[in-house]
Structure formats: structure tokens, C-alpha cells
Amino acid sequence: MNKAIRSTVLFALVLSFAAIGVAQRTSGDVLIRNATVMTASSGTKTNTDVLISNGKIARIGKNLKAGNAKEIDATGKYVIPGIIDAHSHAMLDAVNEFTYAVTSMARIRDVLDPTDVTIYRALAGGVTAANLMHGSANPIGGQNTVVKFRYGRSADEMVFEKAPPGIKFAMGENVKRARNIPGVPRRYPASRMGTLEVMRDAFVRAKDYKKSWDNYRAGKTRVPPKKSEELDPIVEILEGKRLVHAHGYRSDEHLNLMRLADEFGFKISTLQHGLEAYKIAPEIKKYGAGVSIFVDFWGYKMEAYDTIPYNAYILWKNGVVVSINSDSGERIRRLNLDAAKTMKYGGVPEQEALKMITLNAAIQLGVDKYTGSIDVGKDADIGIWSGHPFSVYSHAEMTLVDGEVFFDRSKDIAMRKELEEERKRLEAMEPNLPPAKRGKKKKPEAKSEEKAKTPKREAGGVQ
Amino acid sequence: MKKHLLQFIAAVMAFAFLALPASAQKGTYAITNAEVVTVSGSVISNGTVVVRDGLIEAVGSSVSIPADAKVIDAKGHKVYPGFFDTNTKLGLPSASPPTRNASGSRSGSISNYPPSLRAESDVLEKFEGTEAKFSSHRNAGFTTVVVGNSTGIFNGNSVVLNLAGENVSEMVVKAPFAHNIAFKTERGGVYPASLMGTFSAMRQMFHDAKRLDEIRKMYASNPKGIKRPEADATLDALIPVVRGEIPVVIFADTEREIIRALNITKEFNLKTIIAGARESGSLAEKLKAHNISVLLSVDFPMRKLAENKEADPEPLRTLRLRVEAPKAAAALKNAGVPFAFQSGGMKNIKDFVKNAAVATENGLSKEDAIGAMTISAAKILGVDAQLGSIEKGKIANLVVASGDILDKDSSITHVFVDGKLFEQPKKKKKPAKADGDGEAKEINAGGVWNVTVEPPGMSIPMTFNLTQSGDTITGTISSNMLGSATIRNGEVTEDGFAFDVTVTFQGTDLDLNVTGIINGDEVEGTVDTAQGPATFSGKRDPKN
Amino acid sequence: MKQIIKSKIGSILTLAFAVVCVAGTVFAQNGPADQNKTGVGGTFAITNANIYTVSGEMIKGGTVVISGGKITAVGARVSIPRGAVRVNGSGLNVYPGMIDAGTNMGLLEIGNGVAGTVDAGETGNINPNAKAILGINPHTSHINVTRVNGITTVQSMPSGSLVAGQSAIIDLNGATQSAMAVERQFALVVNFPQISTFAGFTPGVGPRFIDFKQAVKRRDNRLKDLKKVFEAAKRYGKVRQANAKDNSLPAPETDLKMGAMVPYVNGEKPIVFIAQRARDIHGVLKFAEEMKVKAIINGGMEAWKVADDLKKASVPVIYNRIHNNPSNEDDPYDLNFEGPAKLAKAGVLFSISTGNNGASVRELPYQAGLASAFGLSKEDALKSVTLYPARILGIDDRVGSIEVGKVANIVVADGDMLEAMTNIKHMWIGGRKIPLTSRHTEFFEAFKDRKLAQ
């Protein structure tokens, strides 16, 4: 009960598929038959079958034997890897802990809302996984969580456990603007200068902190140091155990951050937004960071004024791993079209464009061993599209996560009537009646086993 | 080893209680010819319960009536153990508008934490009132309540009280009972201002409390070479929590809140009881596996809005929740999760037993419903040796009802608390529209309201000076930041007031739609602007 | 482009340049100082192309002749005037320029944090005399960025207050406001008061709602204000007219606001009402009928629910909700994608609009395409961003299709114009061949070949 509406759809899906063995938890085999398969790793294969077994891609080829697998006829349709959104704030009950300049102790994992309908709408746009991040109010923000969109399950069951931990950094306008409240002293930092100093200070503190623990563990001190929820993740960054996703717009910010990272001996994993990254593409390539961008969303604030839709192309041409993110519960539904635009703006090749919403995002999140392309052995995170996924005229028909169908357009349409009927049924029940009508009617349906015992409550309440 | 402060208080309280002479009003009573629902044993169909000096002296079908007893002939009536409301704020000052306090330090207090994290907060220090103040609870059959706060994150201790006595010492049954935790945030732009920060702050403080405990032990055994551990009342209060010596009551209603509670429980090995637990039904098995008890709110959600064809349909999840909520009790029972009922802050305490009956229409047996108000509650609170059933030697908390208490036609005739008889008020003749729910309230919106408006991260004091005339409201608003302005379209609503006003903020005109919900002299509501809504709360100025 | 240059000069240098032109998007003399280049006029012939006339059949291998700013010939076999610059349209598609009938183009450059660039709305509640045409910056970077995606004409509207002001229809070319103007004062823009039960969030509890009746009452209060203004403007118009006929009658004291409203409240010119929900659109229809004004709905999220009434009242819809999530979580995920298909089926005159303030108006073709992925025919999708908005704006005698005599707002693309992968290869606005450059191509050129310093 109590899940968002679509969980009912899923529940029905699970039920209806259970009989034929598809949506059993990652156990049933599925054969997607005769599709145009865009692998994102090894080109496009026409008239090709994909066999899914135990939630993994088991075979890719022509005329595969179905065995016990449930067959999905994909003739005339396209199969692509599930889209991965490398920057999202979907399914969160909180996004920013803006109070401090460093909030590395904040964990996105604590505030997941698995009932957020955004998840379902994203599935309907072919998205199977997302990097859920803390907002950009702080130079060092909270810890992110990578999830798979197993909608209808609990938050714990959506977490992509194999994804390495990460953290959000941020620079620029949002950081400066945070807590700019009339009549209240502004929070430090209020400039790009201060932003970097806050970071520097945090890393100095983290190094001292680590040293105090090293001393304690070596028996040099008797009293255990204070355990710091704030500094532990920063120590993990220094130890290379935590990926840094650094929000920034201006090219100088990226360069300064990379320099700071070099100074302290850690690595920036992904430049988030990187709207001006094209200006310094060779430097980014040399440094080895990925960039996660919008394709053509721009001009909404000063630091977004210099971006260009050719950003993806220039970065790609320089050999930088580029992903395209949504950062939005709306845009997440049409990342396929954002990828298509990179072919227009500059001329990114088709497979490279596809990688920007699949494999490259997986690389940036450290999960490319498991997902991001249609390859044997990977998780069966797959979208089946009515036509070429880059065409405006196409829509996602089915979205599978670990081989389970979490979105099926035909089932979705079929369920609409049932949901309306459920609504009517529920609206007629006592607790859902408007106050004026409550207590007047006989209860519409008492449970049969309770009926004999409970003939009495209908007269309660207002006369 | 050192007794914890709260335990010390509890010990003093308990001592004080035992040392008190029995109240003069506590007489000797014999309730006769009654159907005695002992709860602990079988129902005695024609029994007698003898009450003396606050305790149950005898119970049974062939009990001799003491000569000095005042006899209450309860023929055709039922006698129940007094009912428990396992979560209330009785006697606590109502939440005042939050004060901005960046450092959070109170003078004279050994703590550096902001208000929402004051684990050392002692509910008995704040409790005010005597038995006379709690008659509506008692008249509805509630003789024992848990009092505790849940407005902050670490809310300090909660206590178990009997609703009889002239001072708190006489009322305490158990103090402390538990530590109250709620997933709230700090206000006024102070950390933790987000739910993420809430969990981070809790984690840090649990770690700090553990460490302090450890260092204190080290220091006590040999202080040489160790820096003196700092005095920290807040962390001290958390030590019994992280040691698992005192239960924590975590307020969690939705599935995801309950799962968050389970996760933090596991992470710090807490002794957790979930309170509220509206969506606990679907998690019953999980709760059982984690060995969690539940204080289930019977404030079941009901539709409050009138019908209108053009209005947006209510979300299906809301519709489902309202139908499912009363089924949670049965689900918990079936899974073997210990649970007790609580009022959950319901407006009319009379709905408590009514809604317990609703739970029985949704799969719970009547016995279990009574249990959830009596012995099951006593067990979770750890007071089942002295309360929760009608047994010889237990505290004489009793409810006499004209019939089955879960039957809507029954009424309560007598309530005993600590052996003290409270007669029920004579039933007034019902006016045309009586009885709590759905009744149109008389709204008094006039006066000077001092409120605090809270856009995200801000806190703006403001004054509404309102004059009510029939259903119309006129007046002005004023604030240091926004100046003053005359309201428009002012009207009295079903539960408060609404008006529009235009203020000037940094040279720009801002249209505000203000909606307030009045509760006595308190108001809370929303200021809606084109930039988004902000909430406000405040009080009526008593001087005006 | 190649053709132009060849015909003009022919030196080796220019040839080399031409190759760059074809390969990329650069145009010779672009620079940031020269943001709104107004293109080159003359006589042009696009030959051997697929011509999507929109008003009629698609012409395969056809020719379009542009001269004097107008389309002078269209067809499979037309004679090309002497001296016409030939553009080889082989393998290319020719379309009328797209029209976005609901933007704030030119009224703000950067909406967030750069207040100095924002001229989108006035303070106060009643601003009928605020005219978008006087606030539009002809040299905003948005104009070039937008037009190089095939959009040639937009309606730009003031925003914010109850009566927000008067919109303008502009072509996306011209060095001055006047040069851009198609209609200087097209419509009065009214943010129609909404019925909203939302009463804000209680932290930790969730959204709160007021009773629907109360919400209606609140709306009615604001509607009363609006009616008063309309009635006052009508009276003002009457008095003024009476005085004009007979100057012995008293002349009204000049009131700029009332004066500005007269043609709109008298039903001579249209009023754009911003409204999304069915109940609010109903409100507009009732109000427009009562006030006898000519209404256009802008927004129109739930217009499909009111389709019959809209059709009956001949009120068109500028639909701008393609890129909006459905408003209720229980709504089908594709509810807003399907809006245009439903309007088309019901026979309501509608157009698809981005509703954007400028920077993202270039998304217009993809929004129309997306509507087509959810039930709208491809033909209607194309019309919903060309001929239909032209009709709604009353400029279909001039633009919106490829017909002889119409203004030469023409786009040549290397594929389906609504597809995101398609490139615009040539375009004309008012018969002037527009350089396909923008702030974005300029940055691209500046940085695409940048290398690390050695």
C-alpha cells in the first residue's frame, strides 16, 4: 500500500508477467527478438536478438534459441542500453544542506523517496539509473548515491550498491548565493576566491584529522580522536576511495579546482555542468576528468551565458569522456533527444552520442563494468524504443532494469482504466468521503469475515 | 558507576512517590455485579473489583465487599483497566514560534547545540498541570499517558504519568521512559536545516556520545595523562541511548521514514520503538525481524475537504492511505509486532476509542484492540507489573463503561486513577449540532497577531492587525522589513482567515496571499507569493 | 552559400572560404560586435528541393524563387529569373520559417542574477500600456541562437502582472525594433486569475490545501478587479468616442492605461489570456463572452478537456506544456505530450509554443516533434509551428506557408526540420539570406581547434 500510483501498475505488471516468468526478481529469462540493437560499445546490429538470463545480458546474436525465455517481439524496434542520468535530484526529500560551507557529512542516501513519480516518468523516457546528488550550495556538499530505478521497491532496494561512493563539490554562483539573506550576515564564501579557500581549508583539516587517527592507531595517543562525519568522506577522497563530482560553470573554476586537487593529491572524477568546458577541453583531457553537461540548456544565469551546444562535440573531439545529464525531473524524460542534438551541433558520431547518455555516464559513476552498454555479462538495463531513439517521433516502449520490466507503455495505457475504477471505488469509502457525506451512508463494503460482527459504525459522526 | 542524570531524577521521583501518604480522596470502593475485563485473565462475567489505597485489593466473582467500601453497582456495565495513550504532549507548553538562535547556547547550560538537538531536555521540567487539567483525556477513559516532545530531533526524555494528582510527583509512573527522536530540522537557517543534516547531526552526536562515554570511563579509572573530558549535558543525555539502556521512540509515519528509523537503529544498535507508524502495516514483517515495537497512532487520516467537481482529484496514494491506515494494527498483530495505540495529536480525544473500533472493523480482534490500549501498552512502556490489567495488587486504574467500550452506544460512567474515582460529567443535552467532528467552529480572527513568516532560510517577524466583522476581515500588516500595508479581500474561512496584501520589498511590489488556521490564540498558515509559498506561525497578542 | 560566393567573386581564397562555409557554419564577417547580422537581400532561387509548402502538397524537386522580400514563385517547374542567386536544394527540404506564438523574446537576456537585462514585466497590477515592442532588444543573443534553428517569427509578450501589457509580433531579423516588427501591438496579455487550492508547504508535513470553494472565492475577488478595469476601459472608450463624434460632449481626461485597453476591450484586437487548467480556461471563456472580447488562450495545458467549448467560441490555443510534467502524480506520464493530438482531433485551432523567455525558444521544432511521437500527425506537427500559429496571430496572409506573395521566411534543412539531428543549411527572413551564425557558432569557431600551449 501507500506507494505512489505507479507502483500499482508495476504490481499488476509483476502479477501479469509472473505467470510467464518475466518479472520474477531477476530470475526469469527474456529474449528480445529481432531488434535493431544499438550497443553503445560495438556498433549497431540489425535483426538481432538479446537474451537476458538472471538479470544479465546472456547472449547477443541472430536467431537465438528462446528456451524457457519469455519472448518480446521487437521487430522494427530499437534496443539501446538503459539511459543513465549522471546528475539528478529526483526522489529526494532534501537536496541542500545549505547552512555550512562544508556539508560532506550530509548523505543523499538518508533522504531517498522511492515513491517519487519522477522515477516512473524517467523510466518512461528509457532511464534506468541515476546519480542522485546533493545540491550546489556548498564548496563541499553532501555524499551522492547512485540508484537504479527499480520503481515500486523500497529506497534500500534501489541503491546501486556496486557504485563507488561519491561526493558533490560546487563552485560559482550557487555557492556564493547560498544563504544570501537580507539582514543576515552572508555565509563565507561569498566569492570564487573564498570558495577555493574553503576547499583548501577542508583538505588541510582532513589531513590533520587523518594524522590524529594514524597516531592513535599506532598507539601514539591514548584518547581516541573525535570521529568526524564531516572529515571522514574527505579523507576518503584523499585516499582515492570517493569520486568527486564537481559542479562548476566557468572554465577558470575547473582549472583552479584541478590545480587544488593536484596540490592535495586527489582526483576530480567528473566536472558537473562544465558549461564552459569546451574552452579548456585539452586541459581537461590532460587532467583526465570526465564532464557531465547539458547539451543546449543555457543562458539561465550569468555563468551559463558562455556555454554552447557544441560543448559536447569539442570535448568529445579532444577525447574527454562526456555525459549528458538532466538535473531535472522534466528533462530526465527526454535525454535521448539531448543526445541526438550532439550529432547536429558539431557532428558527434551516432554511437558516441549514444554513449553520452549511457556508457560514458556509467564510466563517470564507476559502474561501467555492470551497465551502460549492451554487452554480454552486463546487467540487463535496457530500453526498447518504437523507432530510432534519436528521433523526435520515437518513444520508449519498454524499460528493463536487471531484466525486469519496470515500464511497459502498452501496459501503462491498459492500466489507466483500472486506476480510474480503483479511484471510484476508493472515493466511495468512508474515510475518503467529504465530511458532509460521511457517516450518512451505509458502509459500501465491509470485509466479509467482519460483516457479521460490525453492523454498527455507520451512524457515527455528524447527524 | 555514575548514575545518569535522568535516572537519578527518576529514582528521586519514585522515592518521592512511595513516600507520599495516600491521598485522602483515595477511598475504598467496590465495583460490583460488573463484567470485569481483566485483560490478563479471562473475563469475569459477574465480578467485583475492590479498590483500596490506590491499588486493586481484590478482583473476582466471589469477592467479599469490605465494610468500609463505597459500593458502585455496575450491573450491566463492564470494567476495563484504565487506557493508555502512549504519545501525548499533555502538560507541555505548546510549541512557541521558533526563536532564532544561531549559536544555540543557553546561558547556564552546558551545551553547544541548537534547540532541536537538546537531548538533555527534561520533560518534567517543562510539564505543568494537575489532574484538573486533564479531564478530557480521563473522561475518555485514559488514565495513563506518555508525555514527551517531538518537535525537534533529539527531544529529550519522555515520561509515563497517571492522570491523577495535584503535582507532577504524584503523577509520575516512570521517568524517564524513553528518548524521543523525530526526523525534524533546525529552523532559522541553523544546521541541520535539511533532513540530510538531521541524520548527519544525529550520527555525529551518537559517535560523540560513545566517545565521551569511553573517555569518561578511561578518565575515571586513571585520569593521569588524559585531558579532562568536557562537560556536555547534551552528549551525556545520549550516553544511555547509545548504550541501549534507554529505549528511543522514533517518530516515523511513512514507509520511508520507518525504514530510515530502522537503518539508524541498526547503525547504532538502538533500542527502538516506532511512534506514529501510519504506514507500518506493509512493513510489519520487517519490524518483526528487527524486534521493534510500535506506538500506533489511531488518528486515522480522513478527508477534510468538501466536495467539488472542478477541484483536483485527490492523489490515489492519499485515497489508498486513508483506507489502509486502519488496517495497520491487524497487520502488526498478525506479524507478531508488539504495538500499543496512541492519540497521535488528534483534535478530539473521544475519537481514540472510536478509531480503535475502526481498527477492529479492519481485521483486528476486539481483544487485541483493548490490549493495545492496556496491557500491550504497559508492556512496551515497561510498567506492566503495576498497570495494564485488572489484577490484585496492581494500581487501580479502571474504566467502567455502560457496555462494550468499542460499541459506539456505550458510554463511560466511572474512571479510577490511582484508586481515585472521577465521576463522569453529566451528559448535557445535545444541542442540534454536537459532537466534535465536522462541526462548524466559531472563528474569532480579530486581534493583533504576532507571527513569524519563514521563507526558506529566513525568519521575518510580522504583525497582523485584524478586525473581524461577520465573515469579513479588515486590517493591516506590518513588519520592519516590509513596512506596513492594508489588507484586501479579507475573509473568515472554515478554520481561520485569508486575505491578500501587497507589500514593497526592496523596491518591488510583492502580492501576498495569506491564509491562516486559527487554534485558540495560535495561528499557523501560509503566505503565498509568486516566488513561492512561505509558512508562518504565531500567537494573538493577549494585550490587545 | 557556396553559390552566392562563387557567383560574386571566384578567387581561390573565396573558394577555400566557401569550403569552410559548407563544412561548418561560419560566415565570413561575424564577430561579437555584430550580433544581429541582418543578412543579404536580392533574388534567390532554391532549386531541386523537396518543398514543404504546408498549405498544399509537398513538391518534390521543386523550386522556390525569392525576390523583393517575397516568395515570387513556387513549383516543380518554374522559371528562374535572370541574376537570381541559385541555391542548390538537392537532397534538402524547404519549409516555411517556424513561428513561436508565445515567448518573451528580447525582453530579457539573463533572467537570474542579472536584473539589468530583464525588461519582461512592470510593477503594479494593471499595465496595459506596457508595450513589448519598446522593451525588445534587437541585439539580444537569443535572436540569432533561435533563428539558426529555423524559427523566423515570434510573438513576444510582457509578463508578470494581472494585465501585463501589449505583445508584439516580430521577425527574428532587423537592426531596430521597427525593422523587426510584424505587429507592433498585437494583443493585450492578461494573466487570468487562477483557482488554486494550494496553500503552501508545512515543513515535515507536506503541501496544504484550502477548500475549493474558498479558492474559487479568492479567484472571484481577483476577477472582480479585472472586470472593473475592463468596464472602466469600455466606459472610457465610449466617452472618448462620443467626444470624437460630437466635441460638445466632455472629453475624458487622458488616461494612458485606459486608452491602451480600448481596442482590446472593444473586441477589435485580441487578448491573450494565460490559463492552464480546464477550470481556468472555462473562466476565460465565460469572461470573454461576458466582456465580448476576442480571446486567445496561452498555456492551455488542459485545453483539450474544454475542446468543445473552445471550438464553439472559436478561441484558439497557444499550447506551451510539452516540456512540462503533468501536474498531478496520478496523471498519465504522457498527458502533456498528448495535449496537441487531442486538440487537433477536436478541431481546435492551436499552435505549439515553447513558452520560453528566449534562450530555449530554439527547442520549438523538437517540441512539435515530441507531440508527434504521442499522437499528433506529422503534418499537423509541422503546421502547429508554422501555419497554425500564423493563423492565431492573424498573419497567415503573410507568413506560415510557402505560397506566392507571402513574405519569404524560408528554411532549408538537410532533413526533417522537426528532428533534433537535422541541420539548417540556409534561411531567409523577409527575403534576406541570413548568416547561420550566433553567439554559439562564434564561440565554437573560437575554441574548436584550441590546443594546449606547448
Side-chain angles (χ1 to χ4, degrees), chain C residues 376-440:
Chain C
L376 188 67
S377 71
K378 283 190 180 184
E379 196 188 26
D380 268 340
L382 185 56
K383 284 183 177 169
S384 72
V385 289
T386 53
L387 194 53
Y388 293 163
R391 279 183 194 157
I392 293 172
L393 301 179
I395 52 173
D396 54 318
D397 55 333
R398 285 164 275 173
V399 293
S401 60
I402 300 183
E403 292 177 77
V404 171
K406 281 199 172 179
V407 174
N409 287 358
I410 301 275
V411 176
V412 180
D414 65 358
D416 183 330
M417 183 169 66
L418 304 188
E419 287 280 18
M421 292 169 286
T422 298
N423 296 291
I424 306 297
K425 303 305 256 186
H426 310 278
M427 73 182 302
W428 288 260
I429 299 178
R432 296 180 73 81
K433 192 161 193 299
I434 300 296
L436 295 172
T437 59
S438 70
R439 181 177 175 84
H440 294 172

Side-chain angles (χ1 to χ4, degrees), chain B residues 187 257 304-306 308 310-317 488-489 491-494 498 500 507-509 511 513-515 517 524-526 528 533 535, chain C residues 123-125 195-204 208-214 216-218 221-222 225 277-280 282 302 327-330:
Chain B
R187 306 177 80 169
E257 283 169 341
K304 292 197 181 76
L305 298 176
N308 195 299
E310 270 193 309
D312 283 354
E314 296 189 296
L316 262 175
R317 72 159 104 192
R488 303 186 308 274
N489 303 334
E491 59 181 2
V492 177
T493 62
E494 256 172 47
D500 299 337
T508 308
D509 281 353
D511 283 334
N513 296 320
V514 180
T515 322
I517 295 168
E524 53 168 31
T526 308
D528 213 349
T535 55
Chain C
T123 60
N125 236 2
I195 300 173
S196 172
T197 55
F198 179 68
F201 281 99
T202 306
R208 286 210 316 271
F209 298 96
I210 55 169
D211 202 81
F212 193 79
K213 267 190 209 157
Q214 202 185 320
V216 172
K217 229 167 127 189
R218 274 167 71 174
N221 275 333
R222 306 185 72 184
D225 294 346
R277 307 298 306 269
R279 58 198 183 215
D280 296 328
H282 263 305
E302 288 181 348
S327 49
N328 296 319
E329 70 172 8
D330 297 329

Side-chain angles (χ1 to χ4, degrees), chain A residues 431-444:
Chain A
N432 289 323
L433 294 175
K437 284 193 176 175
R438 201 146 52 218
K440 284 184 178 167
K441 280 209 289 209
K442 249 186 119 60
K443 275 169 70 72

Side-chain angles (χ1 to χ4, degrees), chain A residues 154-453:
Chain A
S154 73
D156 290 351
E157 292 167 290
M158 287 202 209
V159 173
F160 199 150
E161 295 290 357
K162 290 180 208 155
I167 193 164
K168 177 80 172 278
F169 282 22
M171 299 171 289
E173 289 185 26
N174 293 9
V175 182
K176 295 196 299 168
R177 197 167 47 221
R179 287 208 69 205
N180 187 5
I181 303 163
V184 177
R186 291 182 75 178
R187 187 198 72 187
Y188 192 98
S191 74
R192 287 182 167 83
M193 299 180 286
T195 303
L196 280 161
E197 289 314 297
V198 166
M199 290 179 179
R200 186 184 304 280
D201 175 69
F203 278 96
V204 168
R205 287 190 292 125
K207 286 199 154 177
D208 289 349
Y209 171 73
K210 185 178 180 303
K211 202 167 163 194
S212 68
W213 272 102
D214 289 344
N215 287 340
Y216 174 72
R217 290 194 180 110
K220 289 181 192 164
T221 51
R222 237 180 102 196
V223 177
K226 205 168 145 160
K227 180 176 165 52
S228 170
E229 288 287 305
E230 178 204 18
L231 297 176
D232 278 337
I234 301 179
V235 170
E236 287 170 11
I237 297 168
L238 289 167
E239 291 171 342
K241 293 176 188 160
R242 186 171 284 279
L243 303 179
V244 176
H245 300 285
H247 160 120
Y249 280 74
R250 265 178 27 189
S251 55
D252 54 287
E253 285 171 350
H254 303 315
L255 291 172
N256 289 333
L257 181 62
M258 292 188 284
R259 208 169 291 138
L260 182 91
D262 283 345
E263 180 186 331
F264 284 92
F266 70 94
K267 200 80 196 160
I268 304 297
S269 167
T270 310
L271 301 172
Q272 292 288 340
H273 299 321
L275 265 70
E276 291 183 15
Y278 69 93
K279 292 181 180 173
I280 52 164
E283 285 87 347
I284 294 171
K285 170 61 187 168
K286 192 178 169 209
Y287 177 83
V291 185
S292 188
I293 62 167
F294 302 129
V295 173
D296 62 352
F297 184 41
W298 75 292
Y300 45 91
K301 54 180 169 177
M302 193 62 220
E303 62 184 4
Y305 195 50
D306 268 12
T307 194
I308 58 174
Y310 305 92
N311 197 9
Y313 169 81
I314 294 176
L315 290 166
W316 165 77
K317 213 182 89 187
N318 278 274
V320 176
V321 175
V322 185
S323 72
I324 297 163
N325 67 64
S326 79
D327 194 11
S328 142
E330 188 283 304
R331 189 172 281 271
I332 195 169
R333 310 174 303 162
R334 49 188 175 91
L335 284 169
N336 58 312
L337 295 182
D338 277 347
K341 290 170 194 163
T342 67
M343 295 178 67
K344 164 197 177 82
Y345 292 112
V348 175
E350 184 179 272
Q351 175 160 303
E352 293 302 316
L354 181 60
K355 276 162 71 174
M356 290 181 188
I357 51 170
T358 57
L359 189 58
N360 289 0
I363 292 169
Q364 291 175 351
L365 303 178
V367 294
D368 52 309
K369 254 191 279 176
Y370 315 111
T371 187
S373 63
I374 308 275
D375 280 306
V376 170
K378 282 200 177 183
D379 297 349
D381 300 339
I382 285 174
I384 303 175
W385 290 73
S386 64
H388 195 295
F390 290 172
S391 170
V392 286
Y393 303 117
S394 301
H395 53 249
E397 295 213 325
M398 268 195 195
T399 307
L400 291 76
V401 181
D402 297 315
E404 273 183 85
V405 178
F406 280 88
F407 168 73
D408 180 336
R409 180 164 161 82
S410 60
K411 288 276 177 349
D412 178 285
I413 290 167
M415 277 304 291
R416 291 175 192 181
K417 217 178 129 200
E418 286 175 44
L419 289 170
E420 269 323 297
E421 277 160 17
E422 188 196 357
R423 166 179 296 284
K424 278 194 198 122
R425 206 168 57 242
L426 288 169
E427 280 177 342
M429 296 176 84
E430 179 88 5
N432 289 323
L433 294 175
K437 284 193 176 175
R438 201 146 52 218
K440 284 184 178 167
K441 280 209 289 209
K442 249 186 119 60
K443 275 169 70 72
E445 45 188 88
K447 272 197 170 175
S448 55
E449 68 264 30
E450 291 293 315
K451 227 177 226 166
K453 286 199 220 164

